[in-house]
Amino acid sequence: MSGQDAPIVELRNIVKRFGNVEALSGVSMTVRKGEVLGLLGDNGAGKSTLVKTLAGVHDPDEGEIIVKGNARKPWTPLAARDAGIETVFQDRALAPQHSIVTNIFMGREITNAVGLIRVQRQIDEANRLMREIGFTSKVFNPESTVGHLSGGERQGVAIARALYNQADVIVLDEPTTALSLTETQKVFRFVEAVKASGRTVVFIGHNIYHVWEIADRFFVIDRGREAFEGEKTAFTGADHLIEMMHQLAETGKADTDTLVNAA
Amino acid sequence: MSDATPAAAKPVEAIASAVDRRKEQSHWFRFYRRNGRALNAFLALVLVWAVFAVNNPVLFLNPVYYNAFLFTVPATIFLTTSLVFVIVSGELDLAFPSVVGAAGGVFMYLVVLEVPVLAAFLVTLGFGALIGLGIGAIVVYGKISSLVATLGLNFFILGLVNLLAQGRTISAPDAVGTFGNRLLVGKWELFDTGLQIPNHFVWALAWTVFCYVLFKYHRFGVRVQLVGDNSESARQMGINVERIRVGVFIFSGIAAAITGAVLVQMANMVWFPTSGKAYLLIALAALFVGGTPTWGGVGTIFGAFFGALTVTLIPSGAVGAGFAGFWTDFLFGLVIILTMVAHRFSGARVR
Ligand SMILES: Nc1ncnc2c1ncn2[C@@H]1O[C@H](COP(=O)(O)OP(=O)(O)OP(=O)(O)O)[C@@H](O)[C@H]1O
Ligand SMILES: [Mg+2]
């Protein structure tokens, strides 16, 4: 395995139950350094649950989380962020009554030695970040209330927050839903930029053509279990992947023999 | 715009001034948007005062009239400004009156043992923090609704104090006039006006500013707001939601302890177990008149301060203004309802 392919995050045999519902029944997923991993699956398959486990939000009932070679326990949202994993959650995890800048620095406030917030510094940083992202509409500024923003703009805030720290791994749970075509292209450019800087992306999306465009590898889960995975090169094209997803939905099993170089 | 050439000066100036005007408007507009609730609370106070003053100008324009007001209002200020943190975090604390009583008892117990007043005061603050920690831990880690838990704890702590006190009061007349006592609750006259400023009013002002900075500019206060706005978001972003919630109860405990120690000194070093009881509804009313909404996530310290002044002014002021005593509750209710309507104009909850 070359340095490029080294695993940066490994989830091993993750089981997560909510009451009687077993959302994840022993999923093992490896994320390699520098790749864009497309995480696919039907509604309710368990993608967000897996992502929240990776982000430290859910404590798995069974299984291990290994980041940069070390098994992590206890694994909390703070531990995940400290380990260099930033997540754009499906629900965006925003505080709607507060400003863009307060949201961007939520849990990561820039403070002085006694914990007083460096207000101007945070505003400057937020301004810089928003300009970088192309988030420069005249009608809002870093002090605008998030609850007054449109759905797409809120997504922009969540994405900006994830990009702020130059984290090693950026996890995006359906970042392009509710985005216009141009905004979606923008998100793709961020993903490419993150990848170009040698960092890693986990990307969840329902539009398979979108995910196809940017991912290097695909990991598909079905009702809490791994269905199949494969490099982009193992598929003949997006339609091949879609065909397999259809098979999975209809028969509960995809024909992995059609994968090129299938092991 | 400033380095426009003379030839183009006129139109440029016109544009510049238009831009400046727009900026100015938006500045004031933004100021109101941001502080509307505190401003409403201030207006409510001014209005209540104006109604009283019109009815009895001689009394209400005489500085001496406010001696009693300034003497009694600090207790409500200490309690209300700290309750902002509790309500904004999405919790409720109904146990603070019992902590006021218990802390006053601890303070007096120490003073009777001849511990210097200031040292006894500091120990009492520690006691308040500890009891707040206990209340917070029960609410947060026991996963009990804070309304129910603190309601029960209020009776429990008050009952415990009553049992320990066995109906006795504690007094320490010797400690009256000592250095610590004078520093905490002594009085001084403001420029020969006859207006006596009590030191605990000055401390209450300082406490309000401290709360304001903590609430608005400290990591703790900002996190309290975020937890109250959307606790799941806060958790997902790595904020230790439980710790913030417990912290809020500790803070409330400290404020209640300050109030307890101040109240016994206001009563010339006499303590009776129920000394905090009267403040439960007063402080909550002050908080909501002050413009902190019930739903959590946002609130205003200065609004709470004005709210405390308003609810203290109403009962005494109504009598002074010539309203018969039985008007008091009616006026009280009227002011609460009217300010709620005014706050409604400053915006509903943003989601
Ligand atoms: N907090 C929870 N409590 C109870 N059940 C949950 C919880 N979170 C997820 N589930 C259940 O776990 C299963 C997987 O949900 P999850 O959100 O991970 O799906 P998903 O793949 O992200 O779906 P979608 O594409 O619709 O976002 C679902 O059946 C869901 O109802
Ligand atoms: Mg999901």
Side-chain angles (χ1 to χ4, degrees), chain A residues 8-254:
Chain A
I8 188 161
V9 178
E10 290 178 77
L11 300 173
R12 283 194 197 150
N13 296 316
I14 301 292
V15 176
K16 180 65 196 173
R17 300 183 196 96
F18 299 105
N20 313 331
V21 182
E22 193 166 84
L24 298 174
S25 329
V27 176
S28 296
M29 181 177 86
T30 301
V31 185
R32 297 177 197 150
K33 188 171 185 307
E35 76 173 349
V36 177
L37 177 66
L39 178 56
L40 301 170
D42 246 333
N43 289 119
K47 303 180 297 295
S48 297
T49 307
L50 194 62
V51 158
K52 284 187 175 176
T53 306
L54 172 57
V57 173
H58 288 327
D59 194 15
D61 295 299
E62 287 170 40
E64 270 189 306
I65 296 148
I66 294 149
V67 180
K68 297 174 187 167
N70 301 316
R72 306 289 175 135
K73 196 88 189 163
W75 187 238
T76 62
L78 187 62
R81 294 189 88 182
D82 284 345
I85 301 172
E86 286 288 326
T87 308
V88 174
F89 293 95
Q90 189 167 10
D91 67 7
R92 308 304 168 227
L94 297 168
Q97 299 181 82
H98 289 92
S99 65
I100 292 177
V101 57
T102 303
N103 271 274
I104 286 177
F105 292 99
M106 191 189 315
R108 277 279 153 102
E109 301 82 3
I110 303 180
T111 61
N112 67 11
V114 292
L116 285 175
I117 291 179
R118 299 175 64 182
V119 178
Q120 197 51 47
R121 173 86 196 282
Q122 286 197 163
I123 289 175
D124 293 345
E125 289 284 304
N127 255 324
R128 181 186 61 72
L129 196 62
M130 282 162 63
R131 252 201 318 277
E132 221 173 87
I133 293 193
F135 203 66
T136 49
S137 160
K138 285 279 169 294
V139 287
F140 56 81
N141 60 49
E143 286 172 274
S144 305
T145 305
V146 162
H148 295 147
L149 302 180
S150 77
E153 289 161 352
R154 289 181 201 208
Q155 253 161 273
V157 175
I159 292 172
R161 181 172 61 194
L163 293 178
Y164 175 70
N165 276 317
Q166 308 277 317
D168 300 324
V169 181
I170 293 175
V171 183
L172 303 162
D173 193 348
E174 302 196 21
T176 56
T177 37
L179 289 192
S180 70
L181 214 59
T182 47
E183 296 300 311
T184 301
Q185 290 302 327
K186 241 187 234 168
V187 172
F188 288 175
R189 280 206 298 280
F190 299 140
V191 170
E192 274 154 15
V194 170
K195 189 184 139 139
S197 65
R199 295 178 292 142
T200 310
V201 177
V202 177
F203 190 102
I204 298 178
H206 278 294
N207 185 330
I208 304 204
Y209 290 105
H210 280 176
V211 183
W212 177 262
E213 208 175 307
I214 52 162
D216 305 314
R217 202 161 62 88
F218 304 93
F219 189 94
V220 182
I221 58 175
D222 179 47
R223 279 162 287 178
R225 293 176 195 283
E226 176 185 345
F228 61 90
E229 68 174 308
E231 300 281 340
K232 191 173 189 173
T233 50
F235 300 88
T236 55
D239 292 327
H240 184 187
L241 177 57
I242 290 170
E243 168 65 30
M244 286 185 73
M245 299 281 297
H246 275 309
Q247 274 176 13
L248 185 64
E250 277 157 26
T251 67
K253 200 167 159 25

Side-chain angles (χ1 to χ4, degrees), chain B residues 207-226:
Chain B
W207 176 258
T208 303
V209 172
F210 170 71
C211 283
Y212 173 77
V213 172
L214 187 68
F215 184 73
K216 242 188 129 155
Y217 296 109
H218 194 273
R219 184 171 44 210
F220 174 70
V222 170
R223 289 184 170 188
V224 165
Q225 297 178 49
L226 291 169

